[in-house]
Amino acid sequence: MRRRVLPGFGLSLGFAVTYLGLIVLLPLAALAWKASDVGFAGILKLLASPRTLAALKLSFGGALLAAGINVVVGLMVTWALVRYRFPGRRILDALIDLPFALPTAVAGIALTAIYAPNGWFGRWLVPLGIQVAYTPLGVLLAMVFVGFPFVVRTLQPVLQSLEQDVEDAAESLGATGLQTFLRVVLPTLVPTLLTGFALALARAVGEYGSVIFIAGNIPLRSEIAPLLIVQRLDEFDYATAAALGVVMLAFSLVLLVLVSALQRWTRRWAEQSA
Amino acid sequence: MTAGRPGRPASVARRLGRASIIVASILFLCLFLVVPLASVFVEAFRQGAHAFVESIDQPEAMAAIRLTLLVAAITVPLNVVFGIAAAWAMTRFQFRGKALLGALIDLPLSVSPVVTGLLYVLMFGAQGWFGPWLAAHGIKIIFAVPGLVLATIFITLPFVARELIPLMQSQGSEEEEVARVLGASGLQTFFRVTLPNIRWALLYGVLLCNARAMGEFGAVSVVSGHIRGLTTTMPLEVEMRYNEYNYVGAFAIASLLALLALLTLAVKSALEWRYQAAENH
Amino acid sequence: MKLRPTLLALVATVMVLPAMAKDVTLLNVSYDPTRELYKAVNTAFAADWKAKHGDNVTIQMSHGGSGKQARAVVDGLPADVVTLALAYDIDAVADRGLLAKDWQTRLPDNASPYTSTIVFLVRKGNPKAIRDWGDLVRDGVQVVTPNPKTSGGARWNFLAAWGYALKLPGGTDDKARTFVKTLFQHVPVLDTGARGATTTFTQRGIGDVLVAWENEALLAKKEAGGDQFDIVIPSITILAEPPVAVVDKNAAERGTREVADAYLKFLYSPQAQDIEARNFYRPRSPDVAAKYAAQFPQVKTFTLAEVFGDWRKAQAKFFADGAIFDQIGPGN
């Protein structure tokens, strides 16, 4: 190992690990400890209940779909913001972070008001048979909303630093714009897109504040998993609530590990093909 | 970095593709971000500017604003120090368990805000791990400012670190090593070399962390106790007013939060612009 | 110099007097729809206490879903008094040793200074002609009610509907079960709290009828300008008794017992009963009730005790995990 020229290894690592330990790990240990009251068999029983399954399916399915939508739309929007100049670009760029800043409850109320049958959009969509508010579609909408900035903000710096030389070279060799994009640009962006996907996914899975207003919250249909946790808490059943929390966290982590494996694989693939 | 590269006229197909991407992006952002934002302001000003001002110029609104700023003022610096320390350790040194550390930094993003609140209740609640001890010593954590701060730190922990790590990774440590070899102290190296190199990412991380810290609702709601004028932050005050049929008042506070966020983002844009202008000179 | 001692005494008195006026703070942890009520009650009580004892009382309020509020008190929210939607939530606090288990016998009328009932709020002119519980399960009628798992008010709604079906000629638990199950199939949105359900019905235009506390329905009607909604009183409904109690442990620790007791007793005084009536809660005092007779029409009610025993039994039978609501609620 190379002699360390730079100082502060012990200090910085020590601080970071202590901070993480106190703020994140210790509380999560408390959660696991509480969840252990339910036991492994209890967790399996919980997972066997159709209600829990339906809620988990909605939370994770919705979040996966929302993250997917965010990747596609986010790529388009980031491309426009980084590569093109048009009036209002800076304002739109600043607005990207809005879902971060707006309290989730406000976002939920605003989206519900807009998409309710008597809302700005709802009054046009509902006669067409498109019900957004109080359906799983509403859940999806809120999830896309909270996850959107993650994709754009992850992608933006990478796209900015991406040299246009390669694209220019490809095009001067006769490739069309679309071919250039698909063959040259997209492969280098895939690992970053996956990062954005993972972040948007993680955020959407656990989202409560904004979803609860627009979901309708009907069991087996539009009830999200965090709401089940809240219901258990209202029954003073902390153990089951904690167990549900642990289950959700475990699923999220499995998904994130899968995404990061996929990322490593695509990165290697992009390097080989380059 | 501009689209129409000089010396080569863009083809019709290219221009068409470009225009449709721009239009679709603007349309999406407008429908998806501008309309909800606009609806907040429309509701806030439904009864005119006077009602708007009146609903903010109230003791409980002022208390909520002060509390929100206080929580952000404690949270953001702590997470900045953490972010820099974590990024420094992770990008300047090789050690066992680095990947694990990276994963742990992202972990809070995967925890539902509902569960985040529960975590601190399980730790510091009257029936929690430390609850009886805290009660015996008269220390209040949850249903008081420390609980609000802890929950907010948890939620916003990844933001600064996440901005810094990729940047410092790609910048490498050569400049810093040179500075050290030339005899600069550790602190000098950090302030003269590292900090100028990371300032934009750092600023951006601070803004995101701050925006999220001020807007957090779910986790804070669990540990707040909702004592009006005492432990209600702005997002909680919004919910309370909404529940009181005081829609103008609720959206007035919400629009204030949106304004605070937009203001910080405007500051960021202005700084970036000045910086770029200075660089081009 | 005979003046000096007198002067000194005067100065001393002036200095001591304000020091004797103590500043007392009470924390009242309450549920959602009582915000307007306690705002008015607190002002009146502070003036009353100041006049009688010379002390300044500040009453801090915390509002939220009844169950969530009870949980916060259990977890350490230092409430001196709790004023919640149903006795079960205060029982839960008592179960953790924060107050005596017989709390409900310490004040008159089951420790409920005011009552309410469960009524229907319908759109102006009652276009779907909803007159009674039976009309809620007609084809094409959409009913808005919050989730009994997370809302105290919704539990009263549920029990009112169950009691109605049970009290029909030939009514049995099985028939009641079928009726309530059908009723919940007409529910398009299940909000987590009573206020949320009211907003869904009044602001978002969802549903044909809102099942709600009478006080909530009257307030919603007033807030909407009084001409958008009508209130329908069903043939029979439940007498909802929102209870109040001093949290013994907290009041002892904070030295607020005396004020806290006086505060809750004050809720039964003619002055407070009048405030409660003005805020759409049915007063216990017959005199005040007579004064507001126009606002509160005669309604046939049954109590929880008559039909379901007590809240612990009702909770276990209907709302516990896997109990009847989980079996027949929406989605099933």
Side-chain angles (χ1 to χ4, degrees):
Chain A
M1 196 173 166
R2 195 159 52 105
R3 190 179 64 88
R4 282 185 188 126
V5 185
L6 295 176
F9 175 66
L11 183 70
S12 60
L13 186 65
F15 179 77
V17 169
T18 312
Y19 193 80
L20 269 175
L22 288 178
I23 302 280
V24 178
L25 289 182
L26 192 62
L28 284 175
L31 185 76
W33 163 75
K34 195 75 205 176
S36 70
D37 287 1
V38 173
F40 193 63
I43 288 182
L44 283 183
K45 202 176 136 219
L46 205 62
L47 283 178
S49 124
R51 182 110 174 261
T52 318
L53 275 182
L56 287 173
K57 221 168 96 187
L58 179 63
S59 277
F60 282 91
L64 280 167
L65 199 58
I69 292 173
N70 272 330
V71 162
V72 175
V73 181
L75 176 60
M76 177 186 78
V77 169
T78 317
W79 188 268
L81 289 177
V82 171
R83 288 292 162 98
Y84 303 141
R85 293 294 174 267
F86 52 93
R89 187 185 65 94
R90 277 191 177 279
I91 299 173
L92 290 181
D93 191 6
L95 276 179
I96 300 286
D97 292 320
L98 188 73
F100 269 147
L102 214 56
T104 48
V106 175
I109 293 167
L111 288 176
T112 313
I114 292 167
Y115 287 95
N118 61 2
W120 288 353
F121 292 171
R123 76 182 59 169
W124 303 106
L125 292 175
V126 172
L128 297 174
I130 306 170
Q131 285 257 14
V132 179
Y134 311 117
T135 66
L137 199 58
V139 177
L140 184 68
L141 182 79
M143 285 177 166
V144 172
F145 187 82
V146 295
F148 183 66
F150 285 104
V151 176
V152 177
R153 291 311 186 204
T154 316
L155 200 57
Q156 212 167 11
V158 178
L159 206 55
Q160 260 160 3
S161 66
L162 196 69
E163 300 290 335
Q164 285 197 343
D165 304 355
V166 192
E167 290 165 59
D168 289 345
E171 275 174 45
S172 62
L173 291 174
T176 67
L178 195 63
Q179 276 175 329
T180 318
F181 179 78
L182 290 179
R183 300 258 177 86
V184 181
V185 183
L186 196 58
T188 58
L189 290 182
V190 166
T192 315
L193 282 173
L194 282 172
T195 304
F197 178 85
L199 292 174
L201 173 73
R203 177 82 173 85
V205 164
E207 179 53 17
Y208 179 76
S210 57
V211 175
I212 216 68
F213 286 95
I214 202 168
N217 306 322
I218 302 292
L220 299 172
R221 198 159 65 223
S222 52
E223 187 179 50
I224 54 167
L227 178 58
L228 280 186
I229 297 182
V230 169
Q231 290 182 18
R232 287 296 165 277
L233 287 177
D234 275 1
E235 289 162 3
F236 297 91
D237 187 355
Y238 288 64
T240 311
L244 274 168
V246 168
V247 166
M248 283 188 70
L249 191 57
F251 280 177
S252 293
L253 291 183
V254 168
L255 278 176
L256 293 182
V257 166
L258 284 179
V259 171
S260 91
L262 197 63
Q263 207 170 17
R264 267 200 300 278
W265 182 73
T266 52
R267 195 167 275 152
R268 219 175 303 143
W269 173 74
E271 276 162 13
Q272 276 168 7
S273 65
Chain B
M1 280 250 292
T2 44
R5 267 149 280 166
R8 194 155 47 84
S11 70
V12 176
R14 244 185 112 74
R15 273 208 303 244
L16 212 65
R18 182 186 140 175
S20 51
I21 286 180
I22 293 179
V23 169
S25 295
I26 294 180
L27 209 66
F28 174 80
L29 291 177
C30 282
L31 288 182
F32 200 65
L33 296 179
V34 177
V35 169
L37 183 67
S39 80
V40 170
F41 281 93
V42 166
E43 288 293 331
F45 285 98
R46 189 169 285 272
Q47 287 164 22
H50 185 69
F52 177 88
V53 173
E54 209 166 63
S55 64
I56 287 174
D57 189 18
Q58 279 177 5
E60 65 253 28
M62 286 300 160
I65 293 170
R66 268 198 304 276
L67 182 61
T68 299
L69 294 178
L70 173 71
V71 169
I74 301 173
T75 302
V76 174
L78 282 173
N79 277 343
V80 164
V81 174
F82 166 75
I84 292 175
W88 184 260
M90 282 190 59
T91 61
R92 296 297 179 256
F93 305 101
Q94 292 301 328
F95 55 92
R96 236 175 237 262
K98 198 179 189 176
L100 183 69
L101 186 64
L104 284 180
I105 292 173
D106 282 345
L107 192 59
L109 283 177
S110 312
V111 179
S112 174
V114 176
V115 176
T116 306
L118 176 63
L119 294 180
Y120 291 103
V121 169
L122 291 176
M123 295 256 292
F124 303 117
Q127 315 172 82
W129 276 1
F130 304 114
W133 186 86
L134 290 171
H137 292 76
I139 304 168
K140 279 188 195 158
I141 300 226
I142 56 167
F143 310 124
V145 176
L148 297 173
V149 171
L150 279 173
T152 312
I153 288 181
F154 186 98
I155 295 281
T156 59
L157 184 134
F159 290 107
V160 178
R162 276 210 71 85
E163 288 296 322
L164 292 184
I165 291 170
L167 181 77
M168 287 172 69
Q169 195 94 59
S170 69
Q171 283 178 345
S173 58
E174 277 162 31
E175 285 184 44
E176 284 139 1
E177 280 161 15
V178 169
R180 283 291 284 166
V181 170
L182 291 177
S185 76
L187 280 181
Q188 277 174 331
T189 310
F190 176 75
F191 282 106
R192 302 263 175 85
V193 181
T194 313
L195 203 55
N197 278 338
I198 61 168
R199 62 181 160 183
W200 291 110
L202 185 62
L203 176 69
Y204 197 61
V206 166
L207 291 177
L208 284 186
C209 179
N210 185 58
R212 194 83 172 79
M214 292 197 298
E216 175 50 25
F217 171 78
V220 166
S221 161
V222 178
V223 294
S224 142
H226 299 92
I227 308 172
R228 200 157 214 183
L230 223 60
T231 62
T232 42
T233 58
M234 286 166 80
L236 298 176
E237 181 69 24
V238 172
E239 189 213 16
M240 284 201 173
R241 289 175 168 215
Y242 188 75
N243 277 337
E244 284 168 9
Y245 299 110
N246 180 1
Y247 299 124
V248 167
F251 284 101
I253 303 273
S255 63
L256 216 56
L257 271 168
L259 275 180
L260 277 173
L262 291 179
L263 193 74
T264 52
L265 294 168
V267 169
K268 172 208 151 211
S269 293
L271 283 172
E272 260 178 358
W273 183 72
R274 276 195 61 179
Y275 176 70
Q276 277 168 5
E279 277 217 321
N280 291 341
H281 262 285
Chain C
M1 294 299 250
K2 271 183 118 179
L3 230 150
R4 182 167 280 175
T6 335
L7 205 69
L8 268 178
L10 198 74
V11 169
T13 321
V14 169
M15 283 171 64
V16 165
L17 251 181
M20 273 167 55
K22 282 185 296 181
D23 285 323
V24 195
T25 312
L26 279 187
L27 175 58
N28 177 358
V29 172
S30 194
Y31 61 116
D32 260 325
T34 60
R35 295 159 198 269
E36 297 79 6
L37 167 69
Y38 279 110
K39 208 176 266 177
V41 166
N42 293 347
T43 314
F45 176 72
D48 184 76
W49 187 260
K50 175 100 182 158
K52 284 183 183 146
H53 300 81
D55 296 345
N56 300 313
V57 190
T58 315
I59 294 141
Q60 294 168 334
M61 293 304 303
S62 165
H63 293 279
S66 189
K68 185 181 176 186
Q69 293 292 78
R71 202 170 74 235
V73 174
V74 166
D75 284 327
L77 185 63
D80 300 288
V81 298
V82 282
T83 53
L84 296 176
L86 37 90
Y88 178 76
D89 290 326
I90 302 186
D91 280 339
V93 180
D95 285 347
R96 274 79 181 171
L98 292 172
L99 71 155
K101 295 220 173 185
D102 66 344
W103 62 271
Q104 212 163 4
T105 60
R106 297 192 298 196
L107 286 164
D109 301 320
N110 289 329
S112 307
Y114 41 81
T115 65
S116 193
T117 59
I118 300 303
V119 300
F120 307 150
L121 191 68
V122 296
R123 306 205 180 273
K124 185 74 198 168
N126 198 357
K128 295 266 168 122
I130 289 153
R131 308 261 173 259
D132 202 357
W133 291 100
D135 297 322
L136 302 188
V137 296
R138 278 205 323 251
D139 281 350
V141 173
Q142 284 200 319
V143 183
V144 176
T145 173
N147 188 344
K149 305 284 269 191
T150 50
S151 157
R155 277 178 237 178
W156 289 111
N157 293 354
F158 183 103
L159 295 178
W162 189 282
Y164 157 82
L166 200 62
K167 282 177 173 284
L168 282 178
T172 62
D173 254 13
D174 276 346
K175 284 184 180 164
R177 188 186 166 106
T178 311
F179 173 73
V180 176
K181 180 172 180 168
T182 320
L183 174 61
F184 272 98
Q185 281 162 358
H186 289 251
V187 176
V189 176
L190 212 52
D191 280 288
T192 52
R195 268 294 147 88
T198 309
T199 310
T200 299
F201 179 75
T202 60
Q203 300 287 311
R204 309 278 166 257
I206 299 285
D208 304 300
V209 50
L210 171 77
V211 183
W213 301 93
E214 182 183 44
N215 53 288
E216 184 73 7
L218 282 163
L219 182 65
K221 192 180 166 195
K222 186 186 120 192
E223 289 289 334
D227 56 355
Q228 287 185 35
F229 305 104
D230 288 332
I231 289 174
V232 173
I233 308 246
S235 64
I236 188 166
T237 183
I238 199 164
L239 180 73
E241 298 181 300
V244 301
V246 174
V247 184
D248 299 336
K249 191 162 168 269
N250 293 345
E253 273 169 19
R254 288 157 54 99
T256 50
R257 179 88 227 183
E258 193 195 353
V259 195
D261 274 333
Y263 180 63
L264 294 189
K265 287 211 182 76
F266 180 75
L267 296 174
Y268 293 84
S269 71
Q271 190 191 357
Q273 291 276 302
D274 198 80
I275 295 173
E276 287 147 21
R278 264 184 280 143
N279 282 281
F280 310 123
Y281 285 85
R282 291 190 177 224
R284 291 284 191 181
S285 146
D287 295 345
V288 180
K291 189 176 153 196
Y292 288 90
Q295 182 175 304
F296 301 116
Q298 283 291 316
V299 47
K300 199 173 151 208
T301 58
F302 55 87
T303 66
L304 181 99
E306 284 163 26
V307 179
F308 304 102
D310 62 37
W311 260 112
R312 284 175 200 274
K313 283 185 200 139
Q315 179 75 21
K317 181 172 173 185
F318 298 107
F319 309 119
D321 186 32
I324 289 178
F325 178 74
D326 278 344
Q327 297 161 25
I328 67 169
N332 283 294

